């Protein structure tokens, strides 16, 4: 936990209704549910626990921070900047994170066996209740309330994930959607004309756009034939893409200005901004895309989007509406807007961090304050023998509950030890996080092999300890590391090497 003696823990500065009143839980892994307490109390409400419960205290202690609405917080400044590109949209910024499995998955059309539902990826409060894994969890409710044609939803979202400089189990997303109501128009042509007129009113930009594929493709990116005419899908998609292009132009121009102001103008001017549209799959949209931005020498996934699945709108009782939606991760955008090098910094209460940001002023690059030394430690172990020998699989980002884009996560396919009764890599990540908290910078698999005779798997991970607020002594790093080693033995029955 990042705390400085001069600044009180932010949790206590929050109104009582945002605090966790009582957290009656302890950490247990997704495989160790027998020791679950009878209930979890979150924000004053008790939820019965069951064999699905896997929310650790390290997660709950961040509950209520609401970085996206803290004045002058970089996440909040980023949110406002994006919101400003969608005038007239209703902005929902206070939707609480506890949602039903129905809201998070079923309402969006996630298949019953979608990997995102797994306990290794999602924080379950109990079998029917989760900490939302994405802001899309609120789409149906907001459509059903039918208060505005356009809306955004910004919120904290929760995923069991790797530990490194760009991954944190809590991050922030913004959902955006815009629909047109067929009932508002005397004819289909009048509706098409209106969307076209709205499209023509969108700000123009000089961005280089690579968009090589047709708007829809029967196998790769289908039109919802039963519900939309090709003309409708075309114009909605054109409106969607231009709106989002405009948004990234704004963001990246701001980032360039901040770079120039910090004296890095040559870097900023190196290459013109360009974006590309990549066909994608989401249960809640079709056709769908991810947008990537060429930024300082790399293609960067920025967001996911598409034409809203009509069954979702029908379920929301707004069957006469058609339109588009997108989801964007705010951390990644904030990191590149301000040049913030480590995702843990967002949670810092350190004034050397917080005092650097001011909303309503020209963006300024983050000036790193001194880094404390890193203490890497390796842990190697044999996996327990199981009938199903674990295999290492590359999990494509699109199979997770959310694409890497909206999660602000890496574009590399994650190396994942596929589910076995005994060990999943995310369990290790959680042991690390629960033991060492924010004192761990990252955890990487550096070696694995299978014993030629016994067939047993051996894994070796490097855990890099580095606190953002002090130098960790050797003894402290050793102690944390030893605790982690022992937890691995007791929770997963691994054999240390
Ligand atoms: N919910 C998706 C996620 O978390 C992101 C997303 C993709 C949202 C496409 C959307 C969308 O609204 O249309 O990864």
């Amino acid at each position: 936990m990042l705390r400085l003696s001069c600044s009180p823990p932010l949790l206590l500065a929050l109104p009582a209704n945002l605090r966790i009143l009582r957290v009656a839980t302890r950490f247990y892994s997704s495989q160790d549910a027998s020791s679950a307490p009878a209930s979890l109390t979150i924000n004053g409400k008790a939820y019965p626990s069951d064999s699905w419960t896997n929310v650790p205290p390290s997660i709950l202690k961040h509950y209520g921070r609401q970085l996206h609405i803290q004045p002058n917080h970089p996440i909040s400044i980023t949110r406002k900047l994006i919101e400003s590109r969608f005038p007239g949209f209703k902005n929902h910024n206070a939707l609480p994170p506890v949602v039903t499995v129905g809201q998070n998955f079923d309402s969006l059309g996630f298949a019953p066996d979608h990997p995102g539902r797994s306990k290794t990826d999602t924080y379950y409060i109990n079998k029917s209740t989760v900490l939302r894994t994405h802001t899309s969890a609120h789409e149906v409710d907001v459509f059903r309330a039918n208060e505005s044609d356009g809306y955004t939803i910004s919120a904290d979202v929760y995923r069991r994930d790797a530990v490194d400089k760009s991954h944190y189990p809590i991050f922030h997303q913004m959902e955006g959607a815009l629909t047109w109501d067929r009932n508002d128009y005397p004819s289909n042509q009048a509706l098409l004309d209106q969307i076209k007129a709205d499209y023509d009113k969108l700000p123009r930009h000089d961005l280089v756009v690579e968009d090589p594929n047709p708007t829809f493709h029967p196998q790769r990116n289908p039109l919802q034939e039963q519900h939309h005419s090709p003309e409708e899908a075309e114009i909605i998609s054109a409106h969607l893409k231009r709106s989002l292009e405009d948004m990234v132009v704004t963001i990246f121009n701001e980032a360039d200005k901040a770079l120039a102001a910090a004296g890095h103008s040559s870097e900023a001017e190196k290459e013109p901004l360009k974006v590309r549209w990549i066909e994608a799959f989401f249960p809640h949209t079709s056709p769908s895309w991810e947008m990537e931005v060429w930024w300082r020498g790399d293609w960067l996934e920025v967001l996911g989007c598409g034409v809203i699945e009509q069954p979702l709108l029908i379920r929301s009782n707004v069957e006469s509406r058609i339109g588009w939606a997108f989801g964007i991760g705010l951390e990644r955008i904030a990191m590149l807007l301000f040049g913030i090098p480590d995702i843990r910094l967002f949670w810092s209460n350190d004034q050397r961090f917080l005092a650097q940001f001011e909303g309503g002023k020209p963006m300024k690059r983050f000036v790193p304050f001194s880094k404390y030394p890193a203490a890497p430690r390796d842990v190697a172990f044999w996996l327990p023998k199981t009938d199903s020998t674990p295999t290492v699989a590359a999990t494509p980002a699109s199979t997770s509950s959310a694409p890497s884009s909206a999660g602000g996560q890496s574009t590399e396919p994650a190396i994942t030890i596929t589910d076995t009764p005994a060990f999943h890599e995310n369990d290790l990540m959680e042991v690390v996080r629960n033991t060492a908290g924010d004192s761990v910078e990252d955890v990487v698999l550096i070696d694995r092999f299978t014993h030629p005779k016994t067939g047993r798997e051996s894994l070796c991970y490097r855990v890099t300890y580095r606190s953002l607020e002090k130098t960790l002594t050797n003894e402290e790093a050793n102690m944390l590391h030893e605790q982690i080693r022992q937890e691995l033995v007791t929770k997963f029955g691994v054999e240390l090497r």
Side-chain angles (χ1 to χ4, degrees):
M1 241 313 249
L2 296 169
R3 271 184 199 156
L4 277 192
S5 48
C6 57
S7 58
L10 189 57
L11 208 58
L12 298 179
L14 291 169
N17 64 342
L18 294 179
R19 283 183 223 152
I20 316 163
L21 296 182
R22 184 168 61 86
V23 179
T25 184
R26 67 176 195 80
F27 168 67
Y28 44 91
S29 81
S30 55
Q31 278 79 39
D32 176 26
S34 53
S35 50
S39 75
L40 273 188
T41 302
I42 302 175
N43 201 21
K45 185 166 180 317
Y47 297 87
S49 318
D50 58 26
S51 63
W52 284 74
T53 310
N54 66 353
V55 186
S58 63
I59 292 296
L60 289 178
K61 79 179 177 210
H62 287 319
Y63 186 93
R65 283 283 296 269
Q66 307 225 74
L67 303 182
H68 65 291
I69 51 172
Q70 297 308 315
N72 299 321
H73 193 281
I75 296 289
S76 170
I77 296 173
T78 304
R79 166 187 63 80
K80 285 191 180 159
L81 179 64
I82 302 177
E83 283 173 355
S84 74
R85 303 316 298 169
F86 297 99
F89 280 39
K90 186 173 165 78
N91 305 128
H92 300 267
N93 290 326
L95 295 171
V98 177
V99 298
T100 63
V101 168
Q103 286 171 300
N104 202 76
F105 297 118
D106 304 326
S107 76
L108 296 160
F110 275 64
D113 61 348
H114 192 285
R117 293 181 185 254
S118 122
K119 275 203 279 184
T120 55
D121 289 16
T122 294
Y123 287 112
Y124 279 85
I125 292 167
N126 56 40
K127 188 175 191 328
S128 56
T129 319
V130 296
L131 292 173
R132 70 184 151 221
T133 64
H134 53 178
T135 42
S136 308
H138 301 287
E139 271 199 12
V140 165
D141 295 330
V142 175
F143 281 127
R144 193 174 282 141
N146 201 11
E147 293 171 340
S148 59
D149 292 337
Y151 65 77
T152 64
I153 302 165
S154 299
D156 40 338
V157 300
Y158 300 74
R159 289 188 208 171
R160 300 186 80 208
D161 211 336
V163 176
D164 62 36
K165 287 182 192 152
S166 52
H167 292 81
Y168 202 78
I170 314 176
F171 56 97
H172 297 79
Q173 282 188 330
M174 183 190 294
E175 194 83 4
L178 178 63
T179 58
W180 291 262
D181 191 338
R182 290 188 164 123
N183 291 342
D184 287 346
Y185 303 92
S187 66
N188 188 250
Q189 192 54 50
L191 165 72
L192 292 171
D193 290 347
Q194 180 62 55
I195 305 177
K196 174 74 168 63
D198 291 344
Y199 169 82
D200 287 333
K201 273 186 273 169
L202 291 171
R204 281 167 200 281
H205 57 69
D206 52 4
L207 193 62
V208 180
V209 179
E210 292 179 18
D211 193 6
N213 295 303
T215 303
F216 28 83
H217 180 280
Q219 281 84 41
R220 299 194 314 259
N221 215 4
L223 167 72
Q224 300 174 49
E225 271 178 354
Q226 272 184 303
H227 301 289
H228 301 151
S229 68
E231 293 75 22
E232 286 173 335
E234 284 287 358
I235 189 65
I236 290 172
S237 303
H239 192 283
L240 165 66
K241 286 176 177 171
R242 183 169 291 174
S243 304
L244 296 177
E245 287 158 7
D246 167 65
M247 173 186 75
V248 302
V249 171
T250 306
I251 291 172
F252 286 82
N253 281 343
E254 287 298 322
D256 272 353
K257 275 192 244 159
L259 267 177
H264 303 290
S265 45
S266 54
E267 244 176 299
E269 283 156 11
K270 219 162 41 187
E271 278 187 279
L273 189 59
K274 49 179 187 197
V275 302
R276 67 180 183 192
W277 290 103
I278 312 282
E279 291 172 336
F281 170 81
F282 304 106
H284 34 98
T285 48
S286 192
S288 310
W289 298 275
E290 281 174 1
M291 182 205 257
E292 295 186 351
V293 177
W294 183 254
W295 173 249
R296 303 171 82 189
D298 264 325
W299 283 110
L300 209 76
E301 287 178 52
V302 167
L303 56 83
C305 66
V307 176
I308 302 162
E309 277 282 348
Q310 208 58 30
L312 187 157
L313 292 166
I314 296 170
R315 278 197 289 281
S316 312
N317 296 333
V318 288
E319 54 281 349
S320 56
R321 289 189 170 269
I322 55 174
W324 55 247
F326 72 88
I328 186 168
L330 297 179
E331 267 77 357
R332 169 175 283 187
I333 302 294
M335 285 171 93
L336 59 88
L337 255 177
F338 295 100
I340 295 171
D342 187 321
I343 199 165
R344 292 177 301 166
L345 283 164
F346 291 117
W347 296 92
S348 174
N349 290 316
D350 191 329
Q351 283 307 316
R352 289 178 303 172
F353 176 75
L354 293 173
Q356 294 200 30
F357 309 97
E358 206 175 339
K361 294 268 169 69
M363 302 259 155
K364 278 207 298 232
R365 297 284 289 180
F366 169 66
V367 182
F369 40 89
S370 64
K371 256 190 152 189
Y372 298 101
R377 300 280 186 281
D378 295 349
V379 54
F381 50 87
W382 295 105
L383 287 179
K385 288 198 194 95
T386 54
D387 295 340
S388 55
T389 316
T391 47
V392 172
T395 311
S398 58
T399 63
S400 102
S401 69
S404 47
S405 49
Q409 322 277 5
S410 111
T411 53
E412 296 299 314
I415 294 295
T416 307
I417 311 302
T418 53
D419 243 340
T420 73
F423 182 78
H424 184 287
E425 193 168 76
N426 281 349
D427 289 326
L428 163 72
M429 298 299 173
E430 201 137 281
V431 166
V432 170
R433 231 184 254 116
N434 279 290
T435 309
D438 290 345
S439 299
V440 170
E441 186 170 86
D442 66 15
V443 180
V444 278
L445 180 65
I446 54 171
D447 187 40
R448 64 183 300 275
F449 78 95
T450 309
H451 192 284
K453 293 222 175 77
T454 62
R456 284 184 86 182
E457 292 287 332
S458 161
L459 303 176
C460 180
Y461 284 90
R462 176 154 302 158
V463 183
T464 303
Y465 298 88
R466 189 204 301 266
S467 167
L468 291 170
E469 56 181 8
K470 63 178 190 130
T471 298
L472 285 178
T473 61
N474 262 332
E475 291 71 45
E476 283 168 324
N478 290 345
M479 226 169 67
L480 291 171
H481 197 61
E482 193 47 37
Q483 271 179 43
I484 288 170
R485 284 162 48 89
Q486 293 315 322
E487 293 256 334
L488 289 175
V489 174
T490 49
K491 288 196 196 313
F492 308 113
V494 306
E495 192 186 318
L496 297 171
R497 303 187 54 211

